[in-house]
Amino acid sequence: GRSSSAPGAMGSVSKMSARGAGEAPAPPDGGAAAWLRVCGFWFCCAGSLGLQYVYGLLVVDLLDEFGASRALGGAVGGIATGVMETGALLTAWLGLRIGERACIALGGLLAGAGLALSSAATSMWQLLFTYALLVGAGHSLALFSGVLSVNKWFSRRRSAASALGTTGAAAGPFALAFVWQTMRATLGWRRTLQVLAVSDFAVLCAAALVMSPPPAGDKGVEAGEEGG
């Protein structure tokens, strides 16, 4: 289910990123390259938070399929969200060591694998591993690595860039609600989940391609300019 603590976790990662930057060069704070990273962050949010928020549609089919209790069905979604959000600090630590692009790609791999394995589940308990842990961890890596990456490209415009990027978290569930209902009616929930697995992997890996850090020694592409 949806949790209101995601923005707070993003803020914590942003502060950690600022401290970890140390004596890094000033961010470009604008320009086509910087705003391209915002676009990449938008897809990170759509592919992680967006998909996380539509679990409420999936759980209806899961309860019917497995005859599980609502408590267990809710636990799977709740744990997935909890893993995603509590993994923020681990993501920040890992990002400093292997880079945000690698973390986002790894997140796409974990989330895609978790969704694919979930489509083959034979009991609700299996989803505690395939969905709650794998998908939750994958989305944590993708989401918070996107936060870290965007922070390196902006200083004065950081809030605006983050706000624009996080609109992907709203667009994702809005679109997926229609996609889920349409595909489920023709393919069934298992095949639909497999399609989402491939789509989530592709979206997050595509986002990773553009989330490189600013060039070393870049002192500001648009220093002194008012517009981005």
Side-chain angles (χ1 to χ4, degrees):
R2 178 178 298 199
S3 171
S4 61
S5 59
M10 287 188 188
S12 298
V13 172
S14 297
K15 293 176 182 177
M16 184 174 181
S17 172
R19 290 196 300 268
E23 298 179 358
D29 208 36
W35 291 108
L36 178 62
R37 273 66 186 181
V38 175
C39 181
F41 179 45
W42 190 96
F43 282 102
C44 286
C45 290
S48 56
L49 285 172
L51 197 59
Q52 203 81 19
Y53 290 164
V54 297
Y55 175 76
L57 298 175
L58 171 62
V59 73
V60 175
D61 292 296
L62 296 177
L63 295 179
D64 289 342
E65 178 77 14
F66 302 124
S69 66
R70 291 190 177 186
L72 181 56
V76 171
I79 293 172
T81 300
V83 168
M84 181 185 70
E85 294 179 354
T86 58
L89 294 180
L90 177 61
T91 296
W93 176 83
L94 190 60
L96 292 173
R97 282 151 182 80
I98 68 173
E100 290 80 20
R101 296 178 75 181
C103 283
I104 295 170
L106 178 59
L109 178 62
L110 288 176
L115 290 169
L117 290 172
S118 295
S119 72
T122 57
S123 72
M124 199 73 181
W125 290 101
Q126 294 172 0
L127 294 169
L128 290 172
F129 172 73
T130 62
Y131 193 95
L133 294 183
L134 285 182
V135 176
H139 287 166
S140 182
L141 284 168
L143 174 64
F144 296 113
S145 295
V147 175
L148 291 169
S149 183
V150 167
N151 284 349
K152 293 181 178 180
W153 285 86
F154 292 90
S155 55
R156 290 184 300 113
R157 301 184 180 94
R158 184 174 295 166
S159 295
S162 296
L164 182 60
T166 52
T167 60
F174 179 78
L176 284 172
F178 294 101
V179 170
W180 177 266
Q181 296 294 347
T182 301
M183 295 185 65
R184 173 185 167 276
T186 56
L187 300 178
W189 71 268
R190 292 184 185 274
R191 287 291 180 87
T192 301
L193 206 55
Q194 291 168 5
V195 172
L196 290 181
V198 174
S199 300
D200 202 27
F201 172 74
V203 165
L204 294 179
C205 286
L209 292 176
V210 303
M211 300 302 274
S212 57
D218 196 333
K219 295 301 182 181
V221 172
E222 294 188 358
E225 293 186 14
E226 293 298 324

